[in-house]
Amino acid sequence: MSKLRLTLACWDYDRTRALADGRVQPEGIDLNFLPLHVEETFFRMLRNREFDVAEMSLSSYCVSLTRDDPAFIAIPVFPSRFFRHSCIFVSARSGIREPKDLVGKRFGVPEYQMTAPVWIRGILSDEYGVAPTSVKYFTGGEEEPGRDEKLKLNLPPQFSVTPIGPTQTLAQMLADGEIDALHTARTPSTFYSRPDDVKRLFPDFVPVEKDYFRRTGIFPIMHVVAIRRSVYEANRWIAQSLFKAFCEAQAVTYDNLAVTSAMTSMLPWQVAAVEEARAELGDDWWPYGFARNRKVLDTFLRYHHEQGLSPRRLEPEALFAPETFEAFKI
């Protein structure tokens, strides 16, 4: 029997590899898996809606939901999660030594609406009293000139957001002291090439992130999986089928990571890392599904609204296809 052919764009994660190589096949779906880097996937899906299903920035997805005709609907699968304390970089010329020193400074960010900076601004506000309105933001390419926001924004006037020049890059500006700090999803190249000029705000970030999780229970969600709404509306059963398949593919990775006779990654202390993750975050340390992630999502949606990205505070239940909230029981 013929299956519905869908194209999925998603990075080559260990937790999605069983979908890419066909070991896991979504029920009723012939999946064409495109292993694209996240920036390309986001750009092509948000600008041109090129794929039937795609990994998507959580923040960009939330922005899209506030538009008159929302183009996508998501399933509660989170291919990317990331503690972001390690992603705040400062110029050695800025005099910044601790978070409170950020107030009043010039803060670079590739795109104001990116998910990573939304989390960073929210954490800095909640944990350290650095309000999102207390700094000036400068947007543009981190490593290449000419980057702009993938989605047009209409921010309230209390947020100062200015594009950098057409030949400038944030990585270079940070090293040269033209901006004081940078929050981003990618480590800037000048952190490695000019280590005397670019530093992390939290050099020993792992203990800071562990303490944050122990106190809040939050492992920040970065990306969701979004379906073009027209595809979903024509075949609503695909939401549950895809959700189940992503969960099955993730289970393969959990099983592989549990093997100690040989390591599935090139990390020399993989066994210790897995044991530490279980001890700190639990056996299912990367949970999919709505119920277990509601608090994390609600926190993010508060940040999104407080930072002027969503005119109303979205409810977590509004993010996902309703077919994915529960399953049958026997």
Side-chain angles (χ1 to χ4, degrees), residues 292-303:
R292 287 188 58 196
N293 290 288
R294 192 186 190 285
K295 177 184 176 181
V296 180
L297 293 162
D298 192 51
T299 301
F300 179 83
L301 294 175
R302 172 168 64 86
Y303 292 163

Side-chain angles (χ1 to χ4, degrees), residues 3 11 16 33 60 69 98 101 127 162 195 229 242 278 280 297 306 328:
K3 296 183 177 182
W11 197 31
T16 58
F33 191 105
S60 299
D69 185 21
E98 54 186 328
D101 298 334
E127 301 277 310
T162 305
R229 194 170 290 265
L242 287 167
R278 283 184 175 142
E280 292 287 345
L297 293 162
E306 290 173 348
F328 74 95

Side-chain angles (χ1 to χ4, degrees), residues 57-262:
S57 153
L58 174 58
S59 177
S60 299
Y61 173 62
C62 291
V63 171
S64 79
L65 289 179
T66 67
R67 302 297 161 86
D68 292 337
D69 185 21
F72 313 105
I73 189 163
I75 58 176
V77 168
F78 313 110
S80 177
R81 306 180 83 122
F82 208 120
F83 291 106
R84 288 297 183 184
H85 294 74
S86 66
C87 300
I88 309 170
F89 300 89
V90 299
S91 170
R93 307 182 190 194
S94 67
I96 297 170
R97 299 292 179 267
E98 54 186 328
K100 68 178 182 180
D101 298 334
L102 293 167
V103 173
K105 293 297 195 293
R106 300 161 297 177
F107 226 132
V109 56
E111 296 181 41
Y112 182 81
Q113 61 85 34
M114 286 171 57
T115 304
V118 173
W119 275 113
I120 291 168
R121 290 189 294 262
I123 290 169
L124 287 173
S125 180
D126 278 1
E127 301 277 310
Y128 304 102
V130 182
T133 54
S134 69
V135 305
K136 297 182 183 298
Y137 301 99
F138 294 85
T139 62
E142 184 172 326
E143 304 293 342
E144 298 179 281
R147 179 171 177 171
D148 57 9
E149 300 277 354
K150 284 184 284 291
L151 296 170
K152 184 176 175 58
L153 303 179
N154 184 24
L155 298 173
Q158 63 265 34
F159 298 97
S160 174
V161 181
T162 305
I164 62 176
T167 63
Q168 293 178 302
T169 67
L170 294 173
Q172 188 69 34
M173 292 174 71
L174 183 67
D176 293 342
E178 296 178 58
I179 54 175
D180 302 302
L182 172 67
H183 54 206
T184 178
R186 283 182 177 266
T187 302
S189 59
T190 47
F191 177 74
Y192 302 109
S193 64
R194 295 177 59 176
D196 293 335
D197 297 317
V198 177
K199 308 290 185 181
R200 279 194 170 99
L201 180 63
F202 299 100
D204 192 15
F205 55 86
V206 174
V208 178
E209 293 174 345
K210 287 181 179 179
D211 175 70
Y212 170 76
F213 178 79
R214 290 166 186 161
R215 289 185 293 101
T216 66
I218 292 175
F219 184 5
I221 291 168
M222 295 295 131
H223 304 164
V224 294
V225 172
I227 308 168
R228 272 197 293 122
R229 194 170 290 265
S230 59
V231 174
Y232 162 77
E233 292 293 353
N235 306 275
R236 292 181 67 122
W237 57 270
I238 67 174
Q240 183 66 263
S241 184
L242 287 167
F243 176 67
K244 289 167 61 178
F246 272 96
C247 291
E248 290 175 30
Q250 185 195 45
V252 171
T253 301
Y254 273 137
D255 289 344
N256 288 343
L257 288 171
V259 174
T260 57
S261 58

